[in-house]
Amino acid sequence: MIQAMKKKSIIHFLTFYFLIGISMNSHADSKIQCVLDMGSNTFKFAVFKKENNKFKIISSRRDPMGVGDDISQNKKLSNKLEISDSKLSEIDKIFLTYQTNCKNDFKTNTIKALATAAFRDAKNSDKVIQIGKKHSINIKIVSIQEEAELAFRTANHTGTQTDLVLDFGSRTTDIANKIQNNRLETKG
């Protein structure tokens, strides 16, 4: 069975799997989890509540950020594969919004975030990580292989068992395929 995962779902697969797989283990006592999926062109922010060892979404939002488009434009203008200063300023503002939301509305201070293709490509993605630290947002930039693996594991975590997952992103298409001995082959 082939399962295609679209990036337009409210809880993007990276956010979901990150929350279930990583956050659950590192914050086992925390009842509220704020997570952020930093896609190339859209940020997906979600707040989950832990009830009976399961997570329930209690708040979510999507913010079109256009980071990947900004990098492409910057490359055309200056031949630099970087996030522009104006886009970094926008990221700073949205991070403040997320942090304020988590702190004031949900009484939690830390946001866990995963960043994908645009942030892998940008030569100055370290500036985004520094902005994140300023707002207590712990950012992990995932590799193409990690992104494909997360898509596969999430697809199989949702109850549907599949051997092949296609993830259509705005900048990459990732493929994860289960092969012999349940090993995973990934391509991005």
Side-chain angles (χ1 to χ4, degrees):
M1 176 185 194
I2 296 175
Q3 186 167 340
M5 298 186 71
K6 294 186 177 188
K7 297 264 182 171
K8 295 190 181 211
S9 64
I10 281 226
I11 307 171
H12 182 264
F13 74 89
L14 287 177
T15 302
F16 176 74
Y17 189 77
F18 181 70
L19 175 72
I20 298 301
I22 299 169
S23 235
M24 190 174 197
N25 294 331
S26 62
H27 294 297
D29 295 332
S30 180
K31 292 192 185 279
I32 301 289
Q33 296 287 314
C34 294
V35 293
L36 174 62
D37 173 4
M38 299 167 56
S40 294
N41 285 308
T42 304
F43 286 8
K44 279 81 63 189
F45 174 76
V47 182
F48 293 82
K49 183 175 184 180
K50 186 177 178 182
E51 293 177 347
N52 300 324
N53 250 0
K54 293 184 180 180
F55 286 97
K56 174 183 166 187
I57 188 165
I58 55 176
S59 180
S60 70
R61 64 183 280 172
R62 296 170 54 87
D63 293 292
M65 294 299 292
V67 175
D69 294 341
D70 178 74
I71 292 169
S72 295
Q73 184 65 24
N74 203 25
K75 185 169 188 217
K76 286 179 190 174
L77 296 175
S78 65
N79 205 29
K80 292 181 182 177
L81 203 57
E82 293 183 342
I83 302 166
S84 70
D85 288 341
S86 62
K87 189 56 66 178
L88 289 169
S89 179
E90 283 181 51
I91 291 170
D92 186 45
K93 287 176 187 168
I94 198 70
F95 280 4
L96 176 60
T97 300
Y98 297 150
Q99 183 56 41
T100 301
N101 184 238
C102 281
K103 186 175 182 179
N104 294 344
D105 297 343
F106 302 104
K107 310 300 183 234
T108 186
N109 292 320
T110 304
I111 299 171
K112 299 286 186 176
L114 292 179
T116 59
F119 301 94
R120 284 192 296 266
D121 296 342
K123 302 297 181 208
N124 63 342
S125 58
D126 59 315
K127 290 182 179 182
V128 175
I129 291 171
Q130 289 305 313
I131 294 168
K133 285 180 182 177
K134 179 173 101 174
H135 297 290
S136 299
I137 299 175
N138 302 320
I139 301 168
K140 175 179 167 104
I141 299 174
V142 294
S143 69
I144 292 172
Q145 291 77 17
E146 287 173 307
E147 190 172 354
E149 183 177 332
L150 290 171
F152 183 85
R153 295 194 187 289
T154 300
N156 282 287
H157 184 79
T158 60
T160 304
Q161 294 302 305
T162 184
D163 291 336
L164 179 67
V165 173
L166 307 173
D167 170 31
F168 302 99
S170 62
R171 299 195 87 65
T172 62
T173 298
D174 306 316
I175 302 169
N177 183 27
K178 185 167 61 172
I179 55 176
Q180 274 184 320
N181 300 322
N182 287 330
R183 287 185 313 127
L184 201 57
E185 176 182 65
T186 60
K187 294 181 183 179

